[in-house]
């Protein structure tokens, strides 16, 4: 397709194919109705033109069946578009189970990527082909947007919050990464490359990069050095099995313990207090960098038996 229409980037994932099919169907539908209307305007203006200066138009008072017809047909079409687009949106929003999680901290003007194995890279992202990859992203300063045209995905990266995006690359190759949210002077330089590699090459790349301290180990280290361990081993809520579970709160609510909840628990512990515990946990606002937060998160996830990214084939 790309060879015939060079204005479109290649389709790097099944999701990209879905988005393009939808996009071209929309364009096709629009062209069809626009042409139909133009043709009818032309035809009617010739066919029903005034033929003599004294001719007076017929007095027409509308037709109920016709009105219903041109209300119901567009309604059905538009609902169809809605259902189709919603299905694409859900696919985009719901990563499959057992993704390979990569952590991204954006800042003016670079992408800092951490792999679970402890490898960090800047403006580069190496991922295995054929495996669902989930990005957990946050920003250290302003809003950025992670844009991978080849996969037809774009997701805002927001300070103080985690957003995530997943994709599964099929074809090995080197693809463009952009920032798609104007973020200051060097916004246009906030670009990078995504390297999709055969799983075997990826394993090789990982071992070549030299296994540093894994994110889980780095998180565990922070957990001890920040003093979390002094509370969370004894009487405070155990963090084992926390990630992905439901937590009953003091005020009667139940919340899902995802990335956002864990982050909030560390930065604003009193916002949601676990039922049965006193709000004695101090805030760690300003004491943990965004990268450190991601490591803590990886550690807490690992306590729930969530393998933070063993590469499987
Ligand atoms: C002074 C003791 C203390 C320290 C230090 C402490 N916590 Fe806590 N933590 C608590 C208590 C008590 C709760 C439960 C009450 C609440 O929700 O605030 C809690 C709740 C949490 C929760 C939510 C748990 C759940 O079951 O929903 C997380 C996550 C958490 N802490 C992580 C950390 C991390 C990470 C650190 C270190 C950066 C840390 N805590 C340091 C006492 C502590
Ligand atoms: Cu940016």
């Amino acid at each position: 397709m790309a060879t015939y229409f060079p204005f479109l980037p290649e389709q790097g994932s099944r999701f990209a194919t879905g988005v393009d099919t939808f996009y071209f169907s929309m364009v096709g539908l629009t062209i069809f109705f626009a042409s139909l209307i133009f043709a009818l305007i032309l035809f009617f203006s010739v066919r029903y033109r005034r033929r003599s200066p004294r001719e007076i138009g017929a007095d027409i008072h509308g037709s109920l069946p016709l009105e219903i017809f041109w209300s119901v047909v567009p309604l059905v079409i538009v609902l169809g578009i809605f259902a189709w687009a919603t299905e694409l949106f859900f696919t985009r929003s719901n990563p499959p189970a057992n993704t390979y999680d990569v952590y991204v901290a954006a800042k003016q003007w670079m992408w800092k990527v951490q792999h679970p194995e402890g490898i960090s890279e800047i403006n580069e992202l190496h991922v295995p082909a054929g495996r669902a990859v989930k990005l957990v992203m946050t920003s250290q300063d302003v809003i950025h947007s992670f844009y991978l045209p080849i996969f037809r995905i774009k997701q805002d990266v927001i300070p103080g919050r985690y957003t995530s995006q997943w994709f599964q690359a099929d074809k090995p190759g080197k693809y463009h990464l952009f920032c798609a949210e104007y973020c200051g002077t060097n916004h246009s330089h906030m670009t990078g490359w995504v390297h999709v590699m055969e799983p075997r090459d990826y394993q090789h790349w990982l071992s070549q990069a030299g296994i540093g301290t894994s994110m889980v180990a780095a998180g565990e280290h922070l957990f001890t050095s920040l003093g979390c361990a002094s509370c969370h081993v004894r009487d405070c809520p155990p963090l084992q099995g926390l990630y992905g579970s439901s937590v009953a709160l003091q005020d009667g609510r139940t919340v899902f313990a995802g990335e956002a909840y864990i982050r909030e628990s560390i930065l604003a512990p009193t916002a949601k207090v676990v039922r049965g515990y006193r709000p004695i946990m101090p805030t760690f606002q300003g004491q943990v960098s965004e990268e450190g937060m991601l490591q803590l998160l990886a550690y807490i996830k690992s306590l729930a038996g969530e393998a933070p990214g063993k590469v499987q084939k």
Side-chain angles (χ1 to χ4, degrees), residues 71 86 95 137 143 183 186 230 268 273 284-285 293:
S71 301
T86 306
M137 304 186 286
I143 301 178
C183 59
N186 287 334
S230 65
V273 178
F284 285 84
Q285 186 84 49
M293 276 297 291

Side-chain angles (χ1 to χ4, degrees), residues 107-109 111 142-145 179-183 187 190:
K107 61 174 263 189
Q108 287 166 323
W109 289 276
W111 300 102
V142 299
I143 301 178
H144 301 276
S145 184
C179 178
E181 181 67 53
Y182 180 65
C183 59
H187 163 67
M190 195 167 159

Side-chain angles (χ1 to χ4, degrees), residues 27-303:
V27 173
L29 196 70
T30 315
I31 291 177
F32 171 76
F33 279 106
S35 318
L36 183 71
I37 290 168
F38 274 105
L40 285 177
I41 290 176
L42 267 175
F43 173 71
F44 288 159
S45 44
V46 175
R47 172 84 175 69
Y48 298 108
R49 70 189 184 280
R50 180 180 274 194
R51 282 155 217 263
S52 81
R54 271 175 296 124
E55 195 176 344
I56 290 173
D59 200 7
I60 297 172
H61 288 279
S63 145
L64 188 62
L66 202 58
E67 297 263 1
I68 291 175
F69 173 73
W70 69 45
S71 301
V72 169
V73 169
L75 180 71
V76 169
I77 293 176
V78 172
L79 284 181
I81 295 172
F82 173 73
W84 187 357
T86 306
E87 204 257 304
L88 277 174
F89 180 78
F90 274 110
T91 314
R92 197 209 87 128
S93 312
N94 295 313
N98 201 13
T99 49
Y100 177 64
D101 294 1
V102 177
Y103 298 80
V104 178
K107 61 174 263 189
Q108 287 166 323
W109 289 276
M110 62 177 81
W111 300 102
K112 295 192 287 187
V113 176
Q114 292 185 83
H115 291 261
E117 295 83 0
I119 295 158
S120 301
E121 22 183 7
I122 288 182
N123 294 340
E124 308 260 341
L125 169 61
H126 289 75
V127 292
R131 172 96 202 264
V133 176
K134 181 173 127 191
L135 305 165
V136 177
M137 304 186 286
T138 189
S139 165
Q140 271 169 245
D141 37 47
V142 299
I143 301 178
H144 301 276
S145 184
F146 191 93
Y147 179 32
L148 275 175
I150 178 118
F151 303 133
R152 309 293 188 273
I153 56 173
K154 191 191 306 181
Q155 172 63 53
D156 276 9
V157 179
I158 300 168
R161 207 196 284 181
Y162 291 121
T163 50
S164 88
Q165 174 66 65
W166 78 279
F167 61 85
Q168 178 166 336
D170 299 327
K171 239 181 300 164
K174 184 180 172 192
Y175 308 112
H176 276 294
L177 157 68
F178 297 107
C179 178
E181 181 67 53
Y182 180 65
C183 59
T185 316
N186 287 334
H187 163 67
S188 59
H189 296 291
M190 195 167 159
T191 58
W193 293 101
V194 174
H195 303 265
V196 176
M197 306 168 95
E198 294 287 0
R200 201 180 314 121
D201 297 342
Y202 184 72
Q203 283 296 6
H204 185 67
W205 176 81
L206 277 182
S207 55
Q208 279 236 316
I211 300 297
T213 316
S214 75
M215 281 188 77
V216 171
E220 187 173 10
H221 181 76
L222 273 175
F223 197 75
T224 315
S225 63
L226 288 169
C228 319
S230 65
C231 283
H232 280 282
V233 285
R234 291 176 288 112
D235 28 41
C236 297
L239 302 182
Q240 279 78 8
L242 169 66
Y243 181 76
S245 70
S246 298
V247 180
L249 300 182
Q250 202 85 58
D251 58 14
R253 280 182 298 164
T254 304
V255 290
F256 172 72
E259 277 110 14
Y261 170 74
I262 289 170
R263 178 195 175 85
E264 189 188 49
S265 294
I266 299 170
L267 297 180
T270 47
K272 296 196 177 77
V273 178
V274 185
R275 184 181 300 165
Y277 292 93
R278 285 180 307 124
I280 51 163
M281 178 168 157
T283 170
F284 285 84
Q285 186 84 49
Q287 295 182 45
V288 199
S289 68
E290 283 303 344
E291 283 151 303
M293 276 297 291
L294 291 170
Q295 291 163 351
L296 276 175
L297 191 65
Y299 173 62
I300 293 173
K301 277 176 158 179
S302 78
L303 293 177

